[in-house]
Amino acid sequence: RIERITGREILDSRGNPTVEAEVQLADGTVGMGAAPSGASTGEFEALELRDGDQSRYAGKGVCKAVKHINTVIASSLKGRNAGNIYEVDQAMLAADGTKDKSNLGANAILAVSIACARAAACSLHLPLYRFLGGVNGNRLPVPMMNILNGGAHAANTVDVQEFMIMPVGTQSFREGLRWCAEVYHALAALLKSKSLATAVGDEGGFAPNLAGDEEALEYIVEAIGRAGYEPGKDFVLAIDAASSEWKGEKKGEYRLPKSGKRFTSVELTAHWAKLCENYPIYSIEDGLDEEDWEGWQMLTKALGKKVQLVGDDLFVTNTERLAKGIRLGCGNSILIKLNQIGTVSQTLEAIKMAHKAGYTAIASHRSGETEDTTIADLAVALNTCQIKTGAPSRSERVAKYNRLLRMEEELGQSAVYPGFEAFCITR
Ligand code: PGA
Ligand code: ZN
């Protein structure tokens, strides 16, 4: 039973305030949860409530959201069973009363939703992944590791937001993580040797000034080789274009903010197809805009048989948008971000809907993160088989990888590392 709920304002990895919640149960157990925050946020995400008071944190304070936790949310959840996360989340949705959680703030609601699940797990003496997934969850996710940053996550000249490596050719998460770290360091040495910057972006990947996506991919392929691995066999590549940040003047038109290049949906699709021919790219996220449903249909027809096409801003972890995408044949994969939808139970529903439709689901961090490692447990609990949580640098990213190492150890013989099968669905 929930006894006490406290909210507080803490800092995220970009030095911006975010919401933390602490839930105490009648038996004395405590659970904590914190909301992350995006930079290239989708237009259809649940609302992140910020104070707008320019005298504090340039308007980014979250005192209102914290107050909502301490008042409305605390009183509507008191006495409820924290373990019944569907009921807990429903009670918060009812108290909020809006579709986008704009009354109480999705940041307030999510922090409490996570904290309740954690408190319940703790009270049952279960790790979070066991509480969420039971004995079913035993697959460690293949990292989709972002080692080169651009777009809204870095002050460089690269328009594509993320270039990622996936260690598919190994047998365990632990070894996959080591391979990734080795490539990361090989890339640092390579960039340094070309007098390029090795300062990092928001997700810990390097953020050098490069001519474009092909140059970035060349360096990554070379770094994989220099680390002693074979591109296309040991590692495959993934990109997140985050092209909803490339809105042109007219619908269906794209203008890349850094290079100034212009594309139509057809031209961008052809561009991605060419990149996939020249490099071992197995996954493209937000290759087209969040409102370009027709473009997505075309992209999926063109590349969907051989490339994982991930909807992040397109689906925003929202079952209504995902159902529309499934119906229209848009994409074949969904990025899963708890704070896009704002509750743990709605996140579980989005993953289940995706798997049922044969879409892959990828557990994901945000560019603004905290030390909260819930997504690591979520990935194992729901067998998402893939996780996006940045570079092996910056502790808010590494915390998730380290949590996965511990879970793999705990699962022992029953742990499965899917490798290439991460692109198939495991129900
Ligand atoms: P965001 O970026 O957290 O800034 O939205 C992550 C992503 O686009 O996948
Ligand atoms: Zn994205």
Side-chain angles (χ1 to χ4, degrees):
R1 303 274 150 207
I2 296 170
E3 180 83 14
R4 194 173 52 83
I5 302 183
T6 318
R8 68 175 65 87
E9 190 178 56
I10 61 167
L11 286 185
D12 74 10
S13 56
R14 273 194 282 252
N16 291 325
T18 191
V19 181
E20 178 174 84
E22 196 173 313
V23 169
Q24 194 186 326
L25 306 185
D27 66 5
T29 44
V30 172
M32 312 267 282
S37 177
S40 60
T41 45
E43 205 174 316
F44 305 98
E45 294 191 18
L47 184 114
E48 178 181 80
L49 188 63
R50 300 241 175 229
D51 298 337
D53 170 2
Q54 294 300 325
S55 70
R56 297 184 73 253
Y57 289 119
K60 290 189 171 150
V62 291
C63 293
K64 284 184 194 162
V66 165
K67 191 170 156 231
H68 292 156
I69 293 180
N70 294 332
T71 56
V72 187
I73 294 180
S75 62
S76 51
L77 296 188
K78 194 172 160 65
R80 287 183 196 269
N81 177 356
N84 193 344
I85 59 170
Y86 280 76
E87 185 199 303
V88 163
D89 291 345
Q90 274 308 318
M92 287 194 281
L93 297 193
D96 174 80
T98 66
K99 240 183 153 177
D100 62 355
K101 304 179 178 66
S102 51
N103 245 331
L104 299 175
N107 40 357
I109 293 174
L110 177 65
V112 174
S113 183
I114 294 173
C116 283
R118 283 192 175 279
C122 186
S123 173
L124 294 165
H125 305 288
L126 288 173
L128 185 61
Y129 69 96
R130 282 281 185 235
F131 173 73
L132 294 175
V135 292
N136 233 342
N138 70 335
R139 282 169 161 72
L140 274 296
V142 174
M144 197 180 246
M145 188 180 279
N146 180 6
I147 59 171
L148 208 148
N149 294 189
H153 293 171
N156 62 357
T157 56
V158 178
D159 279 296
V160 167
Q161 185 178 278
E162 301 169 21
F163 295 87
M164 296 169 281
I165 51 172
M166 301 182 73
V168 288
T170 181
Q171 304 300 316
S172 70
F173 174 80
R174 168 174 293 273
E175 187 155 81
L177 187 62
R178 173 171 69 83
W179 286 15
C180 286
E182 289 168 3
V183 172
Y184 182 72
H185 291 296
L187 180 61
L190 177 60
L191 294 174
K192 238 181 239 159
S193 75
K194 308 278 176 193
S195 301
L196 288 163
T198 52
V200 300
D202 288 353
E203 298 185 349
F206 302 114
N209 285 327
L210 302 174
D213 40 24
E214 300 208 352
E215 195 183 1
L217 292 164
E218 286 295 332
Y219 280 130
I220 290 173
V221 165
E222 190 171 341
I224 291 172
R226 284 192 183 195
Y229 301 105
E230 197 180 320
K233 183 167 162 269
D234 297 323
F235 278 96
V236 296
L237 308 183
I239 59 177
D240 180 4
S243 76
S244 297
E245 300 290 307
W246 301 350
K247 288 189 204 311
E249 284 86 42
K250 280 188 273 160
K251 212 177 157 213
E253 227 186 57
Y254 294 79
R255 187 184 170 276
L256 279 54
K258 293 178 178 177
S259 69
K261 279 186 195 153
R262 285 168 195 277
F263 289 93
T264 61
S265 312
V266 175
E267 287 164 349
L268 255 189
T269 300
H271 177 68
W272 302 137
K274 191 170 131 235
L275 281 188
C276 290
E277 256 169 49
N278 296 339
Y279 301 93
I281 297 172
Y282 275 58
S283 181
I284 299 176
E285 179 179 331
D286 285 348
L288 293 173
D289 181 73
E290 61 205 347
E291 293 184 273
D292 193 357
W293 295 97
E294 274 177 35
W296 270 93
Q297 285 179 307
M298 173 189 62
L299 174 71
T300 309
K301 277 202 190 105
L303 293 178
K305 287 239 155 46
K306 39 181 201 193
V307 182
Q308 177 174 264
L309 300 169
V310 189
D312 170 13
D313 291 344
L314 179 71
F315 295 140
V316 289
T317 316
N318 181 318
T319 49
E320 275 179 35
R321 290 185 68 87
L322 176 60
K324 178 173 176 180
I326 292 168
R327 202 171 61 242
L328 295 177
C330 295
N332 51 29
S333 177
I334 179 174
L335 200 75
I336 297 292
K337 291 169 166 169
L338 288 145
N339 81 322
Q340 280 182 329
I341 190 68
T343 62
V344 173
S345 59
Q346 287 170 296
T347 303
L348 299 181
E349 288 305 304
I351 297 172
K352 284 191 235 167
M353 179 184 278
H355 282 174
K356 200 166 158 219
Y359 278 44
T360 51
I362 305 163
S364 173
H365 64 165
R366 298 307 304 248
S367 51
E369 266 293 333
T370 69
E371 61 273 30
D372 186 303
T373 55
T374 303
I375 58 162
D377 283 71
L378 182 74
V380 174
L382 276 283
N383 293 319
T384 66
C385 294
Q386 299 180 53
I387 193 168
K388 244 183 84 167
T389 188
S393 125
R394 298 189 61 134
S395 291
E396 76 281 4
R397 316 292 149 187
V398 176
K400 280 71 161 173
Y401 291 125
N402 288 342
R403 172 74 189 128
L404 288 163
L405 287 173
R406 293 183 200 110
M407 283 188 275
E408 184 173 55
E409 190 181 298
E410 195 170 284
L411 284 164
Q413 292 287 309
S414 64
V416 175
Y417 182 76
F420 266 105
E421 282 180 21
F423 298 109
C424 310
I425 311 296
T426 312
R427 285 189 201 128

